[in-house]
Structures are given as structure tokens and as C-alpha cells.
Amino acid sequence: MENKVPFLNSKKVKRLEIVKNNSVRHKVSPKKSKPIPPRQERKIFMSRRKRKRLVHSNNRSRSRAPEHEDPEKSEEETKTPPRPVHHDTVRKSRPPKCLIVGFSKCGTEALKGFLTLHPDIVAPFREVDFFTNYYFKGLDWYREQMPPSWESQVTIEKTPEYILTRNVLHRIHDYNSSMRLIVMIRDPIVRLQSLYLHDLVHKPQVYPKDTTFKQWCGGRGRTAHVASIVDYASHIRDAFTIFSRRQVLVQSEEELEKSPLKVLRTIESFLGLRRAFSDDKLTYSTDKGFYCFNMTTSTFSKASKTVEMDKNTGCFTKSKGRHHKKIAPALYNELVQFIRPYNGRLFQLLGRRYDWENFS
């Protein structure tokens, strides 16, 4: 019968094992490792990763060539810096960052054409009328109406009717609260004459060719029709209320006609663009009596695709600069008296006066 030997203390490293020949031999039991807490285990893991990264970075910094490269390559070839990545590499239709919002017959088309002489400005050929007539088509449709541009360029869209309605200005603000707005104004009486000739050509069903200027005004000078045209201050005040004043720039048609370079440089600074306008971009036409595009400049081709012009002279078409007939003295005096308070509110709002006949 085999003799049973009691186990020694379990805490000891050795234990006794009974064998058939009644001999006892010692067997060393492996030490049981205590479980490592999760947090300590993560620290050990992270320290190992750091050591691996350090070794890897040291290997990369050594002067020896990588295994896949030809060891016979010259040192200059192996040290060639990587080509810089330019993000402005996609030319596509982009939403406008600036809008010419008003007023009609105040030189807005000429201004848009002159602005496109700047290499960093692009503009669509036609008035888009998105925020007034085509808002239901959505923002994607609006963006598709813009000409292709680089990311560094500024797209400008012109629709003079935008400023006439507060709801439209709110739509523009909701679309882009940082939008820049340009407003063009003009001597109100001269603008009335220009609109009258425009309507005779483009609205024959409303105003037949034999319609007189007095009839077009409503039979006299003091009418709601005249007031809606000469009241600049109310609409500009709406723009100042919805947007900040620093986002709205007001310029006059007379300044653009006499000193276009001065106006263009003002807008250049307003948009934060580099100085690119110069005297050679435009040339004065004694036949037309206003400035035209200089066809010899490198930017003329781009501008000619933006506005309607005579490609032989670089001047605007006959629709620009129509001859205004003289207004009857009685009607003229009535218009001056009626318009003067509107101009007074405009001058007070803008903090300056304009050199307009009978209003300066």
C-alpha cells in the first residue's frame, strides 16, 4: 500500500509528489503572475509604441538610402523637395461674393463691365434676377448661372432691382450674411429721362412710341411713379439696416463717368483685392462722350464676354448714352421742388452731397 504524504504548505514554492517507488521528489511550480490592472497595462502598451516610433524615426533620419531607391543616385536627387500643393486648381461656377443691387439706369452695366477688367473679378453676362424672380429654383440653380472662376477670384452679379424690396434684401442676407453690396445712384431728373427712353424701347405694350415724358411721369411732376424712382434714401436705409454699413458701398454714375479709375480703385479696396486697375485699361471716346474699353489690353477679351459692346470700338452699344430731350420748364421746376426733400434725406443718410444740378 502506498504511503500518503501530506502536502506541505501551499504557499511554499516546492510541493511533494508521490511516486510508485515510494520516493519523493521535489518539483518546482511555476510562479503565478498577478493580473495587471487595465490602466497600467495601457501605460505599458503606450510606452512600447513610443519606443517603436522612436526607433522608426531614427532609422528614417539616417543618411542611408531607402531600400527601394537606387543607392547610386546622387545626393542632390535624393534631397529634392516635394512639389507644393496648390489648392486653387479647380475652375468652376461659384456663388457670388458681391452684388450690384441698384439702381437701374445709374451706370450699373458699365460698372460691371469695367470691374471685369480686374483679373480677380468675374461676372455673368446677363442679369440673373434670382432673388426677385427665380428664387424658387434654388441655390444650386443660382450657382450654375455664374461663370467659371478660380477660388481666389470674386464673382459679382448685377441685378438693379434687388434693392427695391426689403424681402429681397433679407433673402440675400439669409443666403450670405457677409455679402458685399454696391449701390449706384444718379441725378434723379437725369435718371427719370433715361428710364423714360428705356421704357419706350423695352415696354412698347405699356408705353407706345408717341408717349411723352410728361405722360410717362403721370401727367405732372408730383406723382407716385416719380416718387418710386427718386427715393434713393428709403431703399439704402433698408440695406444699412439689414447689412452693416461697411458691407454697402454707394457710388454715383457721374463719378464713374468722369473718373472711372477712381471709382474702380475704391471698389477694389472695398473688396480687398490687389491693385490691378490702371489708366491704360480704359480710353476716352470723344465721339461717344464717355470712356470705352481699351482693346489692346490683355483683359479686354474677358470684359468683352461680360457686357454688350461694339467689338470694333470697345464702346457700349447704342442703348447706352441715349440723347435726352429737354424737359418743359414748368414740369422741370415741379420735378425739382418735388425731388429736393428726397435728395435732402439721401445726403443726410450718406453724410455727403452730390454735384447734381439744382440739388448740390
Side-chain angles (χ1 to χ4, degrees):
M1 183 175 179
E2 296 180 351
N3 296 327
K4 293 183 179 180
V5 180
F7 288 103
L8 298 177
N9 192 336
S10 59
K11 294 183 178 180
K12 293 182 178 180
V13 178
K14 297 179 180 180
R15 70 182 179 86
L16 298 178
E17 181 178 350
I18 303 174
V19 292
K20 292 183 179 180
N21 59 1
N22 292 331
S23 64
V24 179
R25 66 180 180 182
H26 297 281
K27 184 177 181 180
V28 180
S29 61
K31 291 183 179 181
K32 295 183 178 180
S33 60
K34 294 182 180 180
I36 302 176
R39 183 174 297 180
Q40 186 177 354
E41 186 178 10
R42 176 171 176 79
K43 289 182 179 179
I44 296 173
F45 173 73
M46 294 302 294
S47 64
R48 289 175 179 172
R49 289 187 63 184
K50 288 181 180 178
R51 287 198 297 270
K52 288 182 179 179
R53 289 178 180 174
L54 182 61
V55 172
H56 182 65
S57 62
N58 290 336
N59 291 337
R60 292 184 60 185
S61 63
R62 293 177 182 175
S63 60
R64 65 186 183 187
E67 295 179 358
H68 64 276
E69 290 187 359
D70 187 357
E72 296 182 358
K73 281 188 176 181
S74 64
E75 186 178 356
E76 293 296 328
E77 289 177 328
T78 58
K79 291 186 177 181
T80 302
R83 292 184 61 185
V85 179
H86 298 284
H87 298 287
D88 193 9
T89 56
V90 180
R91 190 167 178 264
K92 62 181 181 180
S93 296
R94 304 175 190 272
K97 298 178 182 178
C98 177
L99 299 177
I100 302 176
V101 296
F103 288 87
S104 61
K105 311 312 296 181
C106 291
T108 56
E109 183 71 5
L111 176 64
K112 184 192 72 171
F114 291 163
L115 285 174
T116 56
L117 292 171
H118 196 291
D120 295 337
I121 295 178
V122 298
F125 184 78
R126 300 288 183 186
E127 295 176 6
V128 181
D129 294 311
F130 171 68
F131 293 101
T132 50
N133 299 333
Y134 301 104
Y135 193 66
F136 66 93
K137 291 192 174 184
L139 300 178
D140 290 339
W141 178 88
Y142 183 46
R143 185 180 63 254
E144 292 171 358
Q145 309 311 305
M146 300 300 117
S149 65
W150 304 108
E151 187 177 358
S152 59
Q153 292 180 310
V154 174
T155 301
I156 296 179
E157 192 249 313
K158 176 192 78 83
T159 300
E161 285 73 24
Y162 284 164
I163 199 172
L164 299 180
T165 311
R166 282 184 64 91
N167 185 41
V168 170
L169 291 176
H170 278 295
R171 286 177 176 177
I172 296 173
H173 186 272
D174 292 341
Y175 172 69
N176 182 1
S177 60
S178 61
M179 185 75 77
R180 296 290 175 129
L181 306 181
I182 299 176
V183 182
M184 296 294 292
I185 57 178
R186 188 180 192 178
D187 185 325
I189 292 183
V190 179
R191 184 182 175 220
L192 286 170
Q193 293 174 292
S194 183
L195 277 172
Y196 160 68
L197 296 175
H198 178 83
D199 287 349
L200 290 184
V201 175
H202 297 279
K203 298 180 181 179
Q205 68 280 7
V206 181
Y207 302 104
K209 289 185 179 181
D210 59 350
T211 302
T212 64
F213 177 73
K214 186 175 182 178
Q215 291 173 334
W216 179 84
C217 288
R220 57 194 184 95
R222 298 175 178 270
T223 62
H225 178 62
V226 173
S228 65
I229 297 171
V230 302
D231 186 10
Y232 297 132
S234 297
H235 302 297
I236 296 177
R237 186 180 293 108
D238 289 341
F240 285 164
T241 302
I242 298 171
F243 295 85
S244 65
R245 284 209 176 201
R246 63 180 178 81
Q247 293 176 251
V248 183
L249 179 66
V250 180
Q251 297 288 294
S252 74
E253 188 275 343
E254 289 80 9
E255 289 176 328
L256 180 65
E257 186 175 334
K258 295 177 182 178
S259 304
L261 183 60
K262 179 182 177 181
V263 174
L264 295 177
R265 285 183 173 173
T266 300
I267 298 175
E268 194 175 47
S269 300
F270 174 66
L271 297 177
L273 299 175
R274 58 191 170 101
R275 182 64 66 89
F277 289 117
S278 56
D279 291 325
D280 64 327
K281 301 290 184 182
L282 302 173
T283 179
Y284 186 79
S285 173
T286 55
D287 295 334
K288 296 288 185 178
F290 50 77
Y291 281 87
C292 300
F293 296 90
N294 186 349
M295 297 184 295
T296 62
T297 59
S298 59
T299 52
F300 171 74
S301 177
K302 181 166 75 83
S304 65
K305 299 175 183 178
T306 307
V307 293
E308 292 184 3
M309 67 170 68
D310 187 339
K311 300 297 177 63
N312 297 320
T313 63
C315 295
F316 294 102
T317 57
K318 295 181 179 180
S319 61
K320 307 298 178 184
R322 295 189 181 100
H323 177 68
H324 296 170
K325 293 182 179 180
K326 190 175 181 179
I327 304 174
L331 178 61
Y332 185 85
N333 292 333
E334 187 178 5
L335 287 171
V336 169
Q337 296 302 322
F338 182 62
I339 294 172
R340 184 170 284 124
Y342 290 102
N343 281 352
R345 289 190 285 271
L346 173 69
F347 299 158
Q348 184 177 8
L349 177 66
L350 300 181
R352 63 163 296 183
R353 305 182 71 86
Y354 290 89
D355 189 18
W356 295 335
E357 188 177 357
N358 298 307
F359 300 115
S360 58

